[in-house]
Amino acid sequence: MNMIKLIIFDIGDVIINFNDEEYVSYITKKLHTDAKTFMKCLEPLVTKMEYGAMNLKETEDTLAKRF
């Protein structure tokens, strides 16, 4: 009998519809900053998270300090 040992979920436009522009627009309005400034800070953090060099909490903390 074969057992499932791992299930990987990728929700970024795979399982749910996620619109980057709407997200950035919402966040930047809340933070009273422009999208370019926010994205300049966010993009390298997302890259680090994708490679496992940073977790979500660390990313949130970094953004909180910046904004």
Side-chain angles (χ1 to χ4, degrees):
M1 175 192 233
N2 291 331
M3 290 182 59
I4 297 173
K5 295 182 180 183
L6 176 69
I7 298 174
I8 298 174
F9 291 96
D10 181 358
I11 62 169
D13 276 339
V14 175
I15 296 174
I16 61 170
N17 185 16
F18 183 81
N19 186 310
D20 292 343
E21 290 178 20
E22 287 179 16
Y23 169 75
V24 170
S25 176
Y26 174 79
I27 294 296
T28 55
K29 284 179 186 173
K30 292 282 186 185
L31 297 174
H32 306 288
T33 190
D34 64 291
K36 187 175 181 179
T37 301
F38 180 75
M39 290 305 295
K40 187 175 180 179
C41 185
L42 180 64
E43 286 175 349
L45 301 176
V46 169
T47 300
K48 287 180 180 181
M49 283 196 320
E50 288 175 345
Y51 286 98
M54 190 173 220
N55 64 37
L56 181 59
K57 175 73 171 123
E58 293 167 327
T59 301
E60 290 171 341
D61 291 346
T62 301
L63 289 172
K65 287 177 188 172
R66 174 67 175 87
F67 296 100

